[in-house]
């Protein structure tokens, strides 16, 4: 089954993305504002009353929330209305916890060896809640992670690589993905490392790469390239601008 | 293409609406960070509450302010406070009123905790109690020279910024080659980003985020 991603060129050219697939947004340089594409997907999905699990990896949650609110995503309302749940890895690691409902923290101590089990624990608990509230019915389920590359700063590249190599197998065995619906995932990865990023390029079904350049007229041009998608020939490229409250493709 | 005065106007507009401005120098000879101090001067000299954080040796900051003709002395300790992050980590005692440092044992975590406490205590002592302030992060890329995990410290310091019970605006400057990776958060969080670089022996200042919403 195909789902609209909420990024117009992808939906137009590819007709959407396959349900339960992994979409990598590779933000090749921060100036390209690739994270805004993930925010755009989050905004579209929440506004159309779908379920979103946001995985806050390397940012203080307050920072993410402030940016998302400025982008026009009413985080508090979506949390309150149960369509949004947040797993705050950064807050769990550095003990920056807030008491808002539907925000989950991982129990200490946290290392990459135990991280996946702890994620499964909170994802399972929240999916049980969604099931109890009958929220799965008629709704899409999305997981959005900003940014997977932050694991590198937190744990180092080699450990991150090992972690990502192992989670597929661990998740395939987990009841959480058998007992409850599985989501379609959007991962943001910033930078161009050669240890972890190639692994995710292979793992993902779709790769959207964002880049930017400054022109001779001192204008910033931001582009998104569809680097990988099932049955796609060539690399379609699209230019976009990021406004205060949304991404606009030209 | 905008001239310097247009850039200053754009920066003022963002700061006046409690926004965040980042100025990122792509090379050491572009000196875009001085634009940050130039903007700060307007707030300092008008007596607005200003929290200036130096990740550089204090004398280097004071020298730059002197060169720009910023009249800061009469405001120091009244409405202008300089937090000497460099001096704190190097154990250098402050010798001027209005310059603050952290004392005792410091590592990445302890620095963030003590820094948060220092800011809260300072706000309690100010009369009249400020409702708003401007934060100037002077060459935050210096974080890379001072801490073991600079990106973590940068992120935790931004978290503190959001916890302060005042209306804050901020201008932060970076020399990117000194601390690669700092532009990740700067781009994500800032309302306005200006990059500074050299091209054909010419200094360029280009708005790279936030320009699209400009009227």
């Amino acid at each position: 089954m195909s789902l609209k991603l909420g990024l117009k060129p992808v939906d137009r050219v590819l007709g959407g993305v396959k349900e339960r697939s992994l979409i990598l947004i590779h933000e090749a340089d921060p100036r390209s504002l690739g994270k805004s594409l993930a925010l755009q997907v989050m905004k579209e999905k929440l506004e159309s009353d779908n379920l979103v699990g946001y995985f806050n990896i390397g940012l203080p949650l307050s920072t993410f929330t402030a940016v998302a609110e400025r982008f026009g995503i009413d985080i508090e309302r979506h949390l309150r209305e149960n369509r949004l749940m947040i797993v705050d890895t950064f807050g769990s690691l550095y003990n920056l916890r807030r008491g808002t409902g539907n925000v989950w923290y991982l129990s200490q101590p946290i290392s990459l060896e135990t991280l996946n089990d702890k994620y499964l624990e909170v994802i399972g608990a929240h999916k049980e809640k969604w099931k109890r509230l009958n929220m799965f019915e008629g709704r899409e389920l999305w997981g959005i992670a900003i940014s997977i590359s932050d694991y590198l700063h937190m744990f180092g590249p080699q450990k991150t690589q090992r972690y990502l190599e192992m989670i597929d197998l661990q998740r395939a065995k987990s009841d959480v993905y058998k007992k409850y619906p599985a989501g379609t995932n959007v991962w943001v990865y910033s930078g161009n490392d050669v240890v972890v990023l190639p692994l995710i390029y292979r793992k993902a079904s779709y790769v959207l790469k964002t880049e930017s350049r400054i022109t001779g007229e001192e204008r910033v041009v931001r582009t998104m390239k569809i680097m990988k998608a099932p049955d796609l020939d060539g690399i379609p490229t699209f230019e976009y601008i990021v406004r205060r409250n949304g991404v606009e493709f030209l | 293409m905008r001239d310097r005065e247009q850039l200053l106007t754009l920066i003022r507009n963002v700061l006046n609406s409690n926004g965040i401005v980042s100025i990122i120098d792509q090379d050491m000879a572009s000196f875009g960070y001085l634009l940050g101090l130039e903007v700060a001067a307007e707030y300092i000299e008008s007596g607005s509450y200003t929290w200036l954080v130096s990740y550089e040796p204090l004398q280097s900051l004071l020298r730059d302010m002197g060169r720009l003709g910023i009249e800061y002395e009469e405001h120091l300790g009244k409405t202008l406070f300089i937090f000497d992050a460099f001096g704190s980590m190097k154990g250098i005692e402050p010798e001027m009123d209005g310059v603050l440092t952290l004392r005792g044992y410091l590592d990445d975590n302890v620095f963030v905790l003590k820094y948060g406490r220092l800011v809260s205590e300072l706000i309690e002592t100010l009369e009249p109690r400020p409702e708003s302030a401007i934060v100037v992060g002077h060459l935050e890329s210096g974080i890379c020279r001072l801490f073991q995990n600079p990106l973590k410290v940068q992120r935790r310091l931004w978290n503190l910024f959001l916890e302060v019970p005042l209306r804050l605006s901020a201008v932060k400057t970076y020399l990117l080659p000194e601390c690669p990776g700092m532009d990740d958060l700067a781009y994500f969080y800032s309302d306005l980003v200006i990059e500074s670089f050299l091209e054909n022996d010419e200094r360029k200042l280009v708005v790279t985020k936030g320009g699209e919403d400009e009227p």
Side-chain angles (χ1 to χ4, degrees), chain A residues 20-231:
Chain A
R20 302 180 65 163
S21 60
L22 171 62
I23 299 110
L24 168 66
I25 296 175
H26 171 208
E27 182 186 64
D29 64 84
R31 191 205 290 128
S32 68
L33 305 177
K35 294 179 193 76
S36 302
L37 301 188
L39 288 177
Q40 186 72 31
V41 174
M42 181 184 278
K43 186 176 175 178
E44 299 273 338
K45 294 301 162 188
L46 288 169
E47 280 179 3
S48 49
D49 194 26
N50 290 297
L51 305 180
V52 174
Y54 168 62
F55 294 82
N56 185 59
I57 297 172
L59 291 168
L61 187 56
S62 54
T63 304
F64 169 78
T65 305
V67 173
E69 299 267 354
R70 284 203 308 251
F71 203 77
I73 305 173
D74 190 341
I75 295 288
E76 296 302 328
R77 178 171 68 84
H78 293 303
L79 283 171
R80 203 170 51 247
E81 294 173 0
N82 290 316
R83 71 179 65 81
L84 172 66
M85 66 85 89
I86 296 176
V87 181
D88 185 7
T89 310
F90 191 89
S92 305
L93 260 176
Y94 304 120
N95 221 13
L96 305 168
R97 294 168 187 242
R98 48 184 252 178
T100 312
N102 291 329
V103 178
W104 294 82
Y105 291 92
L106 311 173
S107 55
Q108 295 272 12
I110 299 164
S111 67
L112 276 184
E113 286 73 27
T114 59
L115 187 63
N116 192 49
D117 285 339
K118 294 186 179 189
Y119 277 144
L120 290 175
E121 204 176 296
V122 295
I123 292 168
H126 198 84
K127 283 186 171 178
E128 179 57 35
K129 180 175 179 179
W130 270 335
K131 186 182 170 191
R132 208 175 54 244
L133 295 171
N134 202 22
M135 298 284 288
F136 288 121
E137 192 61 41
R139 290 185 175 92
E140 299 167 9
L141 174 60
W142 290 79
I144 296 175
I146 301 177
S147 296
I148 298 292
S149 46
D150 287 331
Y151 286 133
L152 272 68
H153 315 308
M154 295 155 87
F155 302 109
Q158 312 299 340
K159 282 187 174 179
T160 304
Q161 185 191 44
R162 257 197 321 278
Y163 167 73
L164 291 170
E165 283 167 349
M166 297 309 292
I167 57 173
D168 275 348
L169 180 64
Q170 290 168 346
R171 292 188 181 187
K173 288 182 187 168
S174 165
D175 279 348
V176 172
Y177 295 94
K178 292 176 189 153
K179 200 170 162 190
Y180 309 102
T184 308
N185 287 290
V186 177
W187 288 6
V188 175
Y189 196 99
S190 305
N192 289 297
D193 85 282
V194 291
V195 179
V196 177
L197 185 58
L199 180 72
I200 309 177
Y201 257 65
R202 290 191 290 276
K203 179 183 166 78
S205 305
Y206 302 85
V207 177
L208 311 176
K209 183 180 184 184
T210 65
E211 293 172 302
S212 70
R213 63 189 165 85
I214 298 173
T215 66
E217 294 81 42
E218 300 185 7
R219 192 173 76 82
V220 177
V221 174
R222 298 186 171 89
T223 54
M224 180 192 76
K225 295 178 176 174
I226 306 179
M227 305 297 288
K228 182 182 177 186
D231 308 320

